[in-house]
Amino acid sequence: MAGLQAVFFHSVFILGIISVQSGPCIPQRFDQDSIVCVCNSTYCDTYANIDLEPNPANPIPYYNTYMTTRSGLRMEHKSGSFDLTKTGENVFTIKKATGQRIKGFGGAFTDAATLTMNSLSPQARSNLIDAYFSSKGIEYNIGRIPMGSCDFSTHVYSYDDTDGDFSLEHFSLAEEDLNHKIPAIKDAMAVSRRNISLFGSPWSSPYWMKTNLNMTGRGSIIGEPGGEYYKTWAKYFVKFIQAYKDNGVNIWGVTTQNEPTDGDIPGFNFQCLGWTPQTQRDFIAKDLGPALEANGFGNVKVMIFDDQRELLPYWTNVVLSDTEAAKYVSGVAVHWYIDLLVPPSFIDRAYEKFGSDYFFLNTEACEQDLINKNRSVLLGSWYRGEHYFKDIMQDLQHGISGWIDWNMALNMEGGPNWVNNFADSPIIVNADKDEFYKQPMYYAMGHYSKFVTPGSVVVSHDKNITTAKGVDAIFFRRDRDIMIGNIVNIDEQSYNITVVDPNTQPNYINIEIPAKSFVTLQWFTTS
Ligand SMILES: *[C@@H]1O[C@H](CO)[C@@H](O)[C@H](O)[C@H]1NC(C)=O
Ligand SMILES: *[C@@H]1O[C@H](CO)[C@@H](O)[C@H](O)[C@H]1NC(C)=O
Ligand SMILES: *[C@@H]1O[C@H](CO)[C@@H](O)[C@H](O)[C@H]1NC(C)=O
Ligand SMILES: *[C@@H]1O[C@H](CO)[C@@H](O)[C@H](O)[C@H]1NC(C)=O
Ligand SMILES: *[C@@H]1O[C@H](CO)[C@@H](O)[C@H](O)[C@H]1NC(C)=O
Ligand SMILES: *[C@@H]1O[C@H](CO)[C@@H](O)[C@H](O)[C@H]1NC(C)=O
């Protein structure tokens, strides 16, 4: 054991010299069961880029842990050495890499999020961008961009509100794109060491393309796929991608429609556009796919669905069983809002059939108070962080390759939102004080986005849980033989657990998982 200890200290020394300095959370408690971390123009808690450095001649038998707890730890870093014996009575045993490759994690550059960022001083805003995108923060690598307005806008607009403009001569990006969304995206790209994949999603077409002549309320594109209105709607996607490109932002993908079933709900009170899987299939085959290809955007990833889990098997079947449509499609997007009611077997049914040819992404999630929307922000709610952490884990355990949150920042009310559909966000901005609050949800996202780097693969495991009923885990293999384990404990008590990696020597990690916690484990394995 003396030898192991020496190696352990040596490795800590290596970690010390490659690390960016971490700065602690400045905690503040509001009326919830956990804290927020307060950031302002001169200070924000940061998380060192602690990457393990391999030593092929001397594989290092130590591991890192990063812990976030309801009681106040935030990605607290510690190291420990592997043990020769197993002491935990709850055991996770690493098995083998699956074919499930991680695309990444992120949030949305909505009007609301980027207006809110701009309500801060330039220095505080820059700390917020760093918190999400730089190596001091949680390093998101995916961003969603609403194409035009949605409920999280201050007013209703499209990029072409000129009636009957089938050539889209009057197409132009909005003030929100030019002054808020694009500058935030560019600042994010500038501080990131990762490539950020950006994808657009429309809420509604211009009113004049819609059967009800209104961007809100039940309606669909006038006519049939292949017709003049559908062709114009496909051209609108091309114009959007081109306009962002002209402004220095390359679009990686698009979803065909945000929540296509909203547009079939009579009286739906914000921007929406109705589709069936059949009209979406035919639009992709006849209009969208050919328009993207003809305009040099054939490499833009088209994602279908972008709606709640319950219709996923049916919808993917209709669209992807059609070879004319499927040849233009790369992925399947799904939202989280009814995950507590609809089991992940709904993902399994779609993934088993199409998972080897298409990636699956969770493209939207947020918390809100559905009864009193203006009580949607709960500063410091541990439950909401836990809900994020567990939903991400469940999705990734069922074939989904990434998870994108909704608004990256909102004001104290959970807006702006022109229909008062207020929601919570991992970062809430208090413009009056020029500060912002990083909630438990932010750290829940970060345990995945920072450590589970793009390209990591999910590694299967066996578990033998005897007492720790509230503990669950998921494991990944990163580049350079780095293993990552994300563990959650939803119980009110702590447990000793053991992680067994048959490929390390010795192969037992014995750790105590605190009550109400998220824990990331990081170690080297060997092939
Ligand atoms: C920002 O927060 C830090 C840490 O709490 C504090 O020391 C500093 O005075 C604050 N800066 C401003 C401008 O309020
Ligand atoms: C699970 O762990 C318990 C307690 O350590 C042990 O008695 C049991 O044999 C284990 N089961 C399996 C399948 O390994
Ligand atoms: C970013 O993308 C470019 C172009 O595809 C690629 O060459 C580069 O390796 C990528 N960088 C990272 C960090 O993935
Ligand atoms: C769209 O519908 C809303 C809600 O019914 C209504 O208030 C608004 O005036 C309509 N807009 C147009 C352009 O007709
Ligand atoms: C909150 O919402 C309720 C119902 O929608 C409304 O009556 C009330 O005025 C709102 N309160 C505030 C402070 O906005
Ligand atoms: C975990 O193990 C340590 C060391 O054996 C012990 O001190 C601690 O009480 C154990 N914790 C739990 C929750 O069993």
Side-chain angles (χ1 to χ4, degrees):
M1 286 306 283
L4 291 182
Q5 289 303 98
V7 172
F8 170 58
F9 283 116
H10 176 61
S11 62
V12 168
F13 176 69
I14 294 175
L15 288 175
I17 56 174
I18 62 160
S19 300
V20 172
Q21 198 58 47
S22 294
C25 165
I26 305 296
Q28 186 168 335
R29 190 174 288 273
F30 288 85
D31 58 350
Q32 298 296 310
D33 57 352
S34 192
I35 53 145
V36 300
C37 300
V38 183
C39 299
N40 61 23
S41 61
T42 57
Y43 186 82
C44 195
D45 50 312
T46 55
Y47 294 90
N49 159 30
I50 301 167
D51 275 342
L52 296 171
E53 286 304 320
N55 179 356
N58 183 10
I60 300 168
Y62 77 94
Y63 58 85
N64 288 323
T65 58
Y66 301 88
M67 286 191 187
T68 296
T69 60
R70 186 181 60 186
S71 63
L73 299 182
R74 293 293 178 267
M75 290 186 170
E76 182 95 344
H77 174 224
K78 281 194 186 140
S79 296
S81 6
F82 276 72
D83 281 334
L84 293 162
T85 56
K86 166 176 76 171
T87 59
E89 49 191 0
N90 299 283
V91 180
F92 292 91
T93 304
I94 302 303
K95 298 193 71 186
K96 58 179 197 309
T98 66
Q100 186 190 342
R101 192 168 287 279
I102 298 302
K103 170 64 192 163
F105 303 89
F109 291 96
T110 60
D111 291 353
T114 55
L115 281 158
T116 301
M117 290 177 195
N118 280 345
S119 70
L120 289 165
S121 66
Q123 298 82 357
R125 176 182 175 281
S126 153
N127 281 341
L128 195 160
I129 300 268
D130 275 346
Y132 274 126
F133 293 98
S134 86
S135 59
K136 295 184 226 169
I138 61 175
E139 302 193 73
Y140 276 2
N141 76 312
I142 305 181
R144 186 177 188 218
I145 308 172
M147 293 164 58
S149 64
C150 68
D151 56 329
F152 280 95
S153 298
T154 55
H155 63 118
V156 180
Y157 63 88
S158 81
Y159 295 138
D160 191 339
D161 290 328
T162 306
D163 188 6
D165 183 19
F166 291 104
S167 62
L168 299 183
E169 212 177 302
H170 298 279
F171 182 102
S172 65
L173 293 181
E175 187 264 338
E176 283 83 348
D177 298 273
L178 300 172
N179 296 332
H180 302 286
K181 289 152 72 175
I182 290 172
I185 292 165
K186 286 185 159 174
D187 289 344
M189 295 193 302
V191 299
S192 176
R193 58 180 181 157
R194 297 180 181 171
N195 286 327
I196 301 173
S197 298
L198 298 159
F199 68 96
S201 298
W203 265 245
S204 175
S205 67
Y207 76 93
W208 53 270
M209 295 185 197
K210 227 178 126 181
T211 50
N212 64 335
L213 299 178
N214 196 318
M215 289 180 68
T216 72
R218 181 183 190 175
S220 48
I221 296 284
I222 295 168
E224 303 293 330
E228 187 179 28
Y229 284 89
Y230 280 83
K231 291 249 171 283
T232 308
W233 183 229
K235 196 186 298 173
Y236 188 96
F237 279 72
V238 170
K239 287 268 191 184
F240 165 78
I241 297 166
Q242 185 65 51
Y244 263 67
K245 189 175 176 190
D246 293 344
N247 281 281
V249 175
N250 288 325
I251 297 293
W252 164 79
V254 291
T255 68
T256 41
Q257 172 64 43
N258 173 69
E259 298 187 355
T261 59
D262 288 353
D264 287 327
I265 299 171
F268 195 81
N269 73 334
F270 58 86
Q271 298 90 325
C272 61
L273 186 62
W275 299 81
T276 63
Q278 289 79 13
T279 58
Q280 188 168 88
R281 172 195 67 200
D282 297 345
F283 169 63
I284 293 166
K286 293 179 179 170
D287 309 306
L288 182 63
L292 291 173
E293 276 197 353
N295 290 281
F297 296 129
N299 60 342
V300 170
K301 311 283 184 220
V302 172
M303 289 174 263
I304 63 165
F305 193 51
D306 210 14
D307 211 326
Q308 318 309 328
R309 211 182 246 184
E310 93 274 22
L311 283 176
L312 184 62
Y314 169 59
W315 199 287
T316 48
N317 228 354
V318 171
V319 180
L320 298 179
S321 298
D322 181 275
T323 52
E324 284 309 298
K327 70 182 181 196
Y328 297 113
V329 177
S330 300
V332 177
V334 62
H335 293 188
W336 93 324
Y337 295 98
I338 54 169
D339 287 4
L340 291 174
L341 303 174
V342 181
S345 57
F346 282 71
I347 309 172
D348 298 340
R349 281 158 59 197
Y351 188 75
E352 277 158 19
K353 195 155 178 193
F354 298 108
S356 53
D357 296 321
Y358 304 89
F359 63 82
F360 283 58
L361 272 187
N362 181 86
T363 45
E364 196 185 303
C366 74
E367 297 279 1
Q368 62 182 175
D369 186 328
L370 289 170
I371 294 163
N372 187 351
K373 298 261 173 81
N374 53 26
R375 290 235 191 94
S376 281
V377 174
L378 297 181
L379 288 171
S381 162
W382 181 257
Y383 170 78
R384 289 182 171 184
E386 193 175 270
H387 190 193
Y388 266 47
F389 195 94
K390 281 187 65 75
D391 194 80
I392 298 170
M393 182 177 286
Q394 183 187 69
D395 275 353
L396 300 183
Q397 284 167 339
H398 290 270
I400 287 184
S401 63
W403 211 90
I404 295 105
D405 183 33
W406 187 212
N407 300 280
M408 281 190 282
L410 290 172
N411 65 26
M412 294 290 276
E413 192 178 30
N417 183 297
W418 73 273
V419 284
N420 298 341
N421 185 24
F422 302 125
D424 212 344
S425 170
I427 290 185
I428 292 293
V429 168
N430 186 345
D432 291 343
K433 292 189 164 174
D434 197 31
E435 61 187 26
F436 62 90
Y437 309 124
K438 291 156 89 176
Q439 303 224 60
M441 288 180 281
Y442 167 89
Y443 299 91
M445 291 296 301
H447 277 271
Y448 292 94
S449 61
K450 189 166 181 67
F451 298 102
V452 185
T453 47
S456 298
V457 293
V458 175
V459 175
S460 63
H461 65 269
D462 277 341
K463 65 179 169 187
N464 182 0
I465 297 292
T466 56
T467 56
K469 301 296 179 213
V471 172
D472 201 0
I474 184 165
F475 298 90
F476 309 89
R477 187 170 182 139
R478 278 180 53 171
D479 49 338
R480 304 184 302 125
D481 297 332
I482 294 171
M483 291 290 301
I484 299 292
N486 267 347
I487 304 171
V488 62
N489 180 6
I490 66 169
D491 287 348
E492 295 285 350
Q493 66 182 100
S494 61
Y495 299 106
N496 280 327
I497 71 151
T498 299
V499 174
V500 186
D501 182 348
N503 297 315
T504 59
Q505 204 49 253
N507 49 28
Y508 298 110
I509 296 175
N510 295 310
I511 45 168
E512 186 164 354
I513 305 292
K516 292 286 177 189
S517 65
F518 318 139
V519 177
T520 293
L521 266 177
Q522 187 188 43
W523 74 95
F524 278 115
T525 189
T526 53
S527 330

